[in-house]
Amino acid sequence: MKTTTILLAALTFSTTVSAQIDETKQHDGRSRLSCTSIMVGKDASTDGSVITSHTCDSWYRTWMRMVPAKNYERDTITAIYEGRMHTQSADDSTKMYRKGVIPQARHTFRYLDTAYPCLNEKQLAMGETTISGRDTLQNKKGMFMIEELARIALERCSTAREAIRLMGDLVKDYGYGDSGECLTIADKNEVWIFEVFGEGPDKIGGVWAAVRIPDDEIAVSANISRISSLNLKDKDHYMASKNVFDVAKRLKLWDGKEPFSFWKVYSGGNYFDEPKNYSVREHFIMNALAPSLCLSDTIENLPLSVKPDKKVSPAQVMQLLGSYYEGTDKNLSFRHKIPNPKRKGKDGKINEEEPDSIVSPFSNPWMRPDEINMYYAMGDSVMKNIRTVSVPWCAYSTVIQLRSWLPDEVGGVAWICLDNPGESPRFPIFSGCTELPRMLQICGQHTDREDAALWHYRKANRLATVRWGTYRKTLEPLRDYFIEKGQRELPFVEQSWQKLQSESPEQAQQMLNGYTADFFGATILQWDEMARKLWRQTWAGF
């Protein structure tokens, strides 16, 4: 009877409190399901790396491949597509369609083809985050979606500045057809934030701005336009489309008198309709890396970038992309308290050394809205959902290091994880890799496939989430082991490759591909074994 009452109460309250506690819904055309990117300048990182990153937080493809460099004859064209984000392999063209063609370059670079292409052989790298902006800016007749802009730039460019200029030219000539987007573009010397919108329904084109993150600073973008003022006289740190001010006036988004703010004009605010250029994720990450600044969450304009209190390691970026507001009152996994069974002994006496309540082992950072609604209906008023940095609907995540002092082949390395970045291990793919394991070339989003890498992580991760308070003790050390292993072994890989390269380039290539395959394979074996172990531990039920 009690269970029935609880379930009925949950159903009764689910509609009335859903809007209050579910922050993962779309509102006013702005998606809260999307991505996070952290950028680190070379003088802000522990080893001199330039870092960009990405969590692809949506139902997009997980297959990836290395596309080889190619040469083309004169007067060759290349097609621009829409729909590759939901294909199941490189050979799948289901629901893809060609939006148009552009002239092909005589030579294209090798690149890592993820849903949002992310790294090429010249150590040019990109992260992505959808910033949506004003619905009135979008023109779907524009040829380019953001993933195709990124692909063409990685095929043709060696530096961030080249990529920004090329993408700006492509948008001007062929039109931008996506909602507002941000690319965090890095090379081995610089990292930039690039934001682009359409020009509205009456004109096929686009408007964009880009700002260089100072070398000794870090920045965060998480689904909200972040760029504010533009000092276009400072060509070393600012770039923008020639129409950046004219479009604002033509669409009556700026009167030309008030100080110009890119995010205010083209976005208007965050996804809560607050007049801010940030929300919880940006504020949490920047405070985590620069706590001495005591950044307030009541200000309108959060700085685009800040100098961290201490230099930032790639491992810290990985940990932050896997975070869920640990150490703050926003951490959902510590909110659900239950009576402590050890408080009262069998003799009825109270053990004063034991607290009155403990965190439920079922409490976890990624509870579904219906779970939270149930607890809320039972009177647990603190159980309100806040969109975490890491989420279980993440397709894949990248943390990319770029190092100017190393050959490009090993200087650029993307640390990849599939599924929830707070639970999954990361493995390396280098700029110089030419092949990837077959399991990485098949998407696991549409069906549960043993030949798709995604489900080998997802099964163990979901089991661990069910009793997070207990099973995290198994998962987290193993996840951190692979982060530490990767950073520990990286100097050995670099030195071994350089030695082999001087003796036998063919063996050096085999070694690099083999290391990635072996590292990836080790993570698969460990997560498969963990899934079996967690199943064995549930013999008495969850």
Side-chain angles (χ1 to χ4, degrees):
M1 182 65 184
K2 184 177 180 181
T3 302
T4 304
T5 303
I6 290 171
L7 290 175
L8 286 173
L11 289 171
T12 301
F13 273 81
S14 63
T15 302
T16 58
V17 304
S18 178
Q20 178 183 1
I21 67 176
D22 181 10
E23 298 182 1
T24 62
K25 289 186 176 181
Q26 290 191 4
H27 180 66
D28 193 27
R30 305 162 195 256
S31 173
R32 299 174 190 174
L33 297 177
S34 300
C35 316
T36 306
S37 179
I38 301 173
M39 298 148 272
V40 183
K42 62 183 178 181
D43 294 335
S45 67
T46 51
D47 68 347
S49 296
V50 179
I51 300 173
T52 188
S53 59
H54 177 212
T55 59
C56 184
D57 298 336
S58 194
W59 197 252
Y60 293 144
R61 66 173 169 95
T62 58
W63 68 263
M64 57 191 72
R65 61 171 178 165
M66 295 301 300
V67 178
K70 297 179 183 177
N71 292 313
Y72 295 90
E73 298 294 332
R74 291 185 183 275
D75 302 321
T76 305
I77 59 172
T78 184
I80 304 301
Y81 291 97
E82 184 175 345
R84 291 182 79 238
M85 305 289 278
H86 297 285
T87 52
Q88 298 194 56
S89 68
D91 299 327
D92 181 17
S93 59
T94 306
K95 295 185 179 181
M96 270 178 57
Y97 67 92
R98 192 170 77 168
K99 296 197 74 174
V101 297
I102 65 172
Q104 179 61 283
R106 295 295 304 279
H107 176 78
T108 57
F109 297 128
R110 178 178 62 248
Y111 70 96
L112 175 54
D113 183 15
T114 43
Y116 294 96
C118 64
L119 174 66
N120 76 5
E121 64 177 281
K122 297 295 183 180
Q123 294 200 67
L124 175 64
M126 298 187 188
E128 179 276 345
T129 167
T130 302
I131 56 177
S132 295
R134 301 183 188 276
D135 294 339
T136 53
L137 293 170
Q138 191 170 1
N139 188 328
K140 294 186 178 181
K141 293 180 181 179
M143 185 185 296
F144 275 94
M145 305 295 282
I146 196 65
E147 63 272 16
E148 287 289 83
L149 270 181
R151 175 179 69 84
I152 296 297
L154 287 169
E155 284 184 339
R156 302 183 183 191
C157 300
S158 301
T159 69
R161 291 172 187 262
E162 287 178 11
I164 292 167
R165 293 190 192 100
L166 174 62
M167 291 190 296
D169 290 342
L170 292 171
V171 165
K172 178 182 176 182
D173 294 342
Y174 300 99
Y176 178 70
D178 211 344
S179 61
E181 283 281 355
C182 168
L183 293 175
T184 56
I185 308 172
D187 58 35
K188 48 197 173 188
N189 293 301
E190 302 175 346
V191 59
W192 290 70
I193 182 169
F194 167 87
E195 296 181 354
V196 59
F197 300 91
E199 286 191 51
D202 298 328
K203 186 171 176 58
I204 297 175
V207 60
W208 59 270
V211 179
R212 178 184 171 186
I213 306 306
D215 292 343
D216 61 349
E217 296 191 2
I218 62 94
V220 187
S221 180
N223 306 132
I224 299 166
S225 177
R226 299 279 288 119
I227 296 175
S228 185
S229 59
L230 296 174
N231 180 11
L232 297 181
K233 293 180 180 179
D234 180 1
K235 298 184 183 300
D236 194 41
H237 290 88
Y238 295 88
M239 300 170 68
S241 55
K242 291 182 179 179
N243 63 355
V244 68
F245 303 121
D246 294 338
V247 170
K249 291 179 181 178
R250 175 168 59 84
L251 298 179
K252 294 181 170 51
L253 300 174
W254 179 55
D255 62 10
K257 299 176 183 178
E258 293 292 323
F260 182 85
S261 170
F262 189 81
W263 71 264
K264 283 186 180 180
V265 168
Y266 291 108
S267 177
N270 65 19
Y271 42 66
F272 294 112
D273 291 331
E274 297 172 321
K276 295 179 178 180
N277 69 339
Y278 68 98
S279 188
V280 181
R281 281 173 283 162
E282 297 93 339
H283 184 261
F284 169 77
I285 292 170
M286 294 182 88
N287 264 323
L289 295 177
S292 65
L293 296 180
C294 298
L295 296 168
S296 169
D297 63 358
T298 62
I299 58 177
E300 178 185 76
N301 197 76
L302 190 72
L304 175 59
S305 61
V306 297
K307 186 173 182 178
D309 288 4
K310 299 178 181 178
K311 293 195 174 186
V312 180
S313 69
Q316 282 178 282
V317 177
M318 297 175 200
Q319 290 160 357
L320 284 167
L321 291 181
S323 66
Y324 44 84
Y325 311 132
E326 305 92 321
T328 77
D329 60 2
K330 294 180 175 63
N331 182 357
L332 190 64
S333 67
F334 283 96
R335 288 185 174 189
H336 182 205
K337 300 292 183 67
I338 59 174
N340 183 2
K342 296 181 180 179
R343 175 75 171 170
K344 191 175 183 180
K346 292 181 179 180
D347 56 3
K349 293 182 179 180
I350 299 297
N351 183 353
E352 298 294 343
E353 294 182 358
E354 290 285 343
D356 289 335
S357 61
I358 59 172
V359 176
S360 168
F362 292 95
S363 186
N364 72 76
W366 308 290
M367 291 187 196
R368 293 171 58 93
D370 52 359
E371 292 179 85
I372 297 170
N373 289 350
M374 182 181 69
Y375 292 125
Y376 192 93
M378 293 166 63
D380 197 343
S381 60
V382 299
M383 294 296 289
K384 298 180 181 179
N385 186 31
I386 298 173
R387 202 290 192 182
T388 47
V389 181
S390 65
V391 291
W393 60 82
C394 180
Y396 68 93
S397 171
T398 63
V399 174
I400 305 178
Q401 289 181 259
L402 309 162
R403 281 90 53 85
S404 61
W405 64 92
L406 288 169
D408 289 336
E409 288 88 345
V410 289
V413 55
W415 298 97
I416 308 283
C417 75
L418 300 178
D419 199 54
N420 188 343
E423 297 180 299
S424 293
R426 290 185 183 267
F427 54 87
I429 299 177
F430 295 86
S431 287
C433 284
T434 58
E435 296 177 2
L436 297 181
R438 177 62 181 165
M439 289 176 67
L440 286 173
Q441 299 178 49
I442 298 171
C443 181
Q445 294 284 39
H446 301 277
T447 55
D448 178 0
R449 299 177 55 160
E450 285 297 314
D451 58 350
L454 176 67
W455 279 98
H456 291 265
Y457 302 113
R458 183 166 282 174
K459 288 178 180 178
N461 291 349
R462 294 302 177 274
L463 280 170
T465 304
V466 171
R467 288 184 63 90
W468 182 246
T470 301
Y471 293 165
R472 65 182 298 182
K473 298 172 185 177
T474 298
L475 182 145
E476 288 182 329
L478 199 54
R479 176 202 65 195
D480 295 342
Y481 164 78
F482 282 105
I483 292 177
E484 294 162 6
K485 168 184 168 69
Q487 295 301 303
R488 183 176 63 250
E489 294 179 356
L490 196 54
F492 165 77
V493 176
E494 297 157 2
Q495 294 165 13
S496 298
W497 181 88
Q498 290 183 83
K499 184 175 185 298
L500 279 173
Q501 181 70 7
S502 65
E503 299 170 353
S504 171
E506 183 178 347
Q507 288 186 22
Q509 186 64 72
Q510 291 174 353
M511 174 263 179
L512 205 58
N513 289 339
Y515 182 79
T516 285
D518 289 348
F519 200 116
F520 162 75
T523 67
I524 290 289
L525 288 172
Q526 290 281 12
W527 254 246
D528 282 349
E529 175 55 32
M530 180 164 47
R532 289 189 287 268
K533 179 179 180 180
L534 296 182
W535 271 121
R536 289 194 297 271
Q537 292 180 16
T538 62
W539 65 273
F542 290 109

